[in-house]
């Protein structure tokens, strides 16, 4: 599945779960800040993406749950290098953005991040 199709898939799933117009969602839509997302919703999203992809997805990877822990565990490495090593599906531009947001307490996963992970999973 190509990048645009992966994003369309993620947007369609999220739009249906949150009863939103898919046109109101995009690559930069933040799952936790821009939508009324709760932890139970994360389970539904991951299950639906797994079903669509016909492959098991790693929830922690899909939702970038361990980013801060990994960055803090490697204080001698740049955040971008840590992200590149542990999350190879995240493109360089997004790695820089995440590194800049790393001190923010808010979760920062976007629909674009999830689409990049889906594309990565499907390419393996």
């Amino acid at each position: 599945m190509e990048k645009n199709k992966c994003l369309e898939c993620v947007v369609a799933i999220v739009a249906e779960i949150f009863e939103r117009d898919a046109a109101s969602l995009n690559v930069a839509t933040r799952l936790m800040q821009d939508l009324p997302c709760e932890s139970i919703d994360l389970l539904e999203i991951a299950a639906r993406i797994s079903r669509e992809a016909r492959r098991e997805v790693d929830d922690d990877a899909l939702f970038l749950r361990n980013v801060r822990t990994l960055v803090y565990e490697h204080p001698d490495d740049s955040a971008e290098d840590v992200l590149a090593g542990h999350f190879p599906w995240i493109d360089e531009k997004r790695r820089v953005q995440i590194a800049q947001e790393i001190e923010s307490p808010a979760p920062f996963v976007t629909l674009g991040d999830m689409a990049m992970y889906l594309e990565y999973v499907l390419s393996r």
Side-chain angles (χ1 to χ4, degrees):
M1 192 180 298
E2 65 182 42
K3 184 179 284 189
N4 289 341
K5 293 290 184 188
C6 289
L7 181 61
E8 288 174 15
C9 176
V10 169
V11 165
I13 289 168
V14 170
E16 186 174 327
I17 289 171
F18 294 106
E19 299 176 352
R20 297 282 179 110
D21 178 10
S24 72
L25 305 173
N26 61 55
V27 68
T29 301
R30 297 169 299 173
L31 195 58
M32 302 303 285
Q33 291 94 327
D34 299 335
L35 298 167
C37 189
E38 297 179 7
S39 56
I40 191 75
D41 298 315
L42 298 177
L43 295 172
E44 177 67 20
I45 292 167
R48 298 269 306 271
I49 289 174
S50 286
R51 190 169 46 236
E52 282 294 316
R54 294 187 175 123
R55 298 202 185 161
E56 191 68 31
V57 298
D58 178 346
D59 295 7
D60 289 341
L62 178 64
F63 301 120
L64 302 177
R65 284 195 182 120
N66 299 321
V67 168
R68 287 184 184 87
T69 302
L70 291 167
V71 169
Y72 296 147
E73 287 176 347
H74 298 91
D76 295 334
D77 299 326
S78 72
E80 291 93 342
D81 288 344
V82 173
L83 293 169
H86 288 87
F87 304 96
W89 57 90
I90 300 292
D91 64 34
E92 184 177 358
K93 179 181 175 185
R94 184 64 180 131
R95 285 194 304 265
V96 169
Q97 291 172 336
I98 291 171
Q100 291 170 346
E101 299 172 15
I102 205 78
E103 296 300 324
S104 169
F108 41 73
V109 67
T110 66
L111 301 187
D113 298 334
M114 295 165 53
M116 282 188 276
Y117 175 72
L118 177 58
E119 180 183 19
Y120 176 79
V121 167
L122 293 174
S123 70
R124 304 200 89 188

